[in-house]
Amino acid sequence: MTGGGVAYGPISSYSRVQILHLLFEADAQHGRAERGRPELTIGELCEATGLHANTVREHLQRLIDGGYVIPSIEHRTTRGRPRTLYAAATGEPEASSPVARDKVAAAARRGDMIRRIMDEGESELGRDATYQLDALIDHLEESGFEPVIDEDALTVELTPCPHVASRPEHRPVLCQVHLGLMQGVLTQAGGPLAADCVRAAARPDECTVQLRRTAA
């Protein structure tokens, strides 16, 4: 396990996990009636997490730098300083981070180079799926995992899970956010594969993610 089983990236801090969870929930509901967009303010994130505003800002900057959160400036029709709004980078055209796009492109270049060196062709799943898997592997390795992908079963084996020592009450949110991040990477890369679920595990250190092929 990279880093001796230590998790890196956005899910290395549970506070960032909380923030990502709130942004993913806002995106899923897409019900911000007053704005019509799934965006949250610093104040809303502070209220929901109990964190100080400066701490939230620091976490958000880390997430923006990593390509997981997109900031925007509020459009105001009244006087007053516009607020900064924050949304999850889901990989969809309207929620795509430039950092995430660059990461996907770099992963594809590295994947092509490795395939040339190893004299291997693209995945039997097709060219688009090949680049999706390139991006997914890069994301997971950056986060401290050593993923093993079974293209026939469409599974990603992540055992042992670096979060095995996390508090039990935190695990459901960790798994949900991790799955959302993986889905965002696959969506950003573009192709037929989607992250379906984290399989139920018999042991705390087990983690297997099920992928699925979406309709053409």
Side-chain angles (χ1 to χ4, degrees):
M1 177 62 62
T2 303
V6 177
Y8 298 96
I11 51 178
S12 62
S13 161
Y14 190 69
S15 293
R16 286 199 292 277
V17 169
Q18 287 180 293
I19 291 170
L20 281 169
H21 178 66
L22 290 166
L23 295 176
F24 280 136
E25 285 292 295
D27 180 76
Q29 294 170 5
H30 213 280
R32 311 293 299 173
E34 69 276 17
R35 291 193 291 270
R37 294 190 60 179
E39 298 168 311
L40 298 177
T41 65
I42 290 280
E44 289 169 323
L45 291 168
C46 288
E47 182 178 357
T49 61
L51 298 171
H52 189 275
N54 288 340
T55 302
V56 170
R57 287 191 184 93
E58 289 175 5
H59 285 310
L60 283 168
Q61 191 57 56
R62 288 283 300 276
L63 293 169
I64 291 166
D65 292 344
Y68 305 107
V69 168
I70 303 169
S72 63
I73 301 300
E74 178 185 39
H75 175 70
R76 295 181 67 100
T77 57
T78 57
R79 296 182 64 182
R81 183 177 179 179
R83 300 173 297 179
T84 302
L85 308 175
Y86 300 91
T90 62
E92 299 289 349
E94 70 280 4
S96 175
S97 160
V99 176
R101 291 196 292 271
D102 288 345
K103 284 185 173 183
V104 166
R109 289 194 296 271
R110 281 192 291 272
D112 282 340
M113 181 180 66
I114 291 170
R115 283 183 285 275
R116 285 196 298 271
I117 293 172
M118 301 297 293
D119 195 23
E120 295 178 352
E122 65 186 35
S123 164
E124 293 184 2
L125 295 171
R127 183 178 179 82
D128 290 343
T130 296
Y131 287 146
Q132 281 185 296
L133 295 177
D134 288 340
L136 185 60
I137 289 170
D138 267 26
H139 163 71
L140 291 169
E141 289 181 344
E142 182 182 80
S143 298
F145 296 92
E146 287 188 352
V148 177
I149 295 179
D150 185 327
E151 295 185 8
D152 294 326
L154 288 181
T155 58
V156 185
E157 182 61 50
L158 300 173
T159 302
C161 175
H163 303 287
V164 65
S166 301
R167 295 170 62 175
E169 63 269 28
H170 290 172
R171 291 295 295 275
V173 173
L174 276 163
C175 290
Q176 186 175 349
V177 167
H178 185 202
L179 189 67
L181 290 170
M182 292 178 68
Q183 180 55 45
V185 170
L186 292 170
T187 301
Q188 181 66 69
L193 301 180
D196 194 23
C197 66
V198 178
R199 285 185 176 180
R203 303 194 319 269
D205 67 328
E206 289 182 340
C207 182
T208 303
V209 176
Q210 182 68 54
L211 306 179
R212 61 181 170 85
R213 182 184 284 275
T214 60

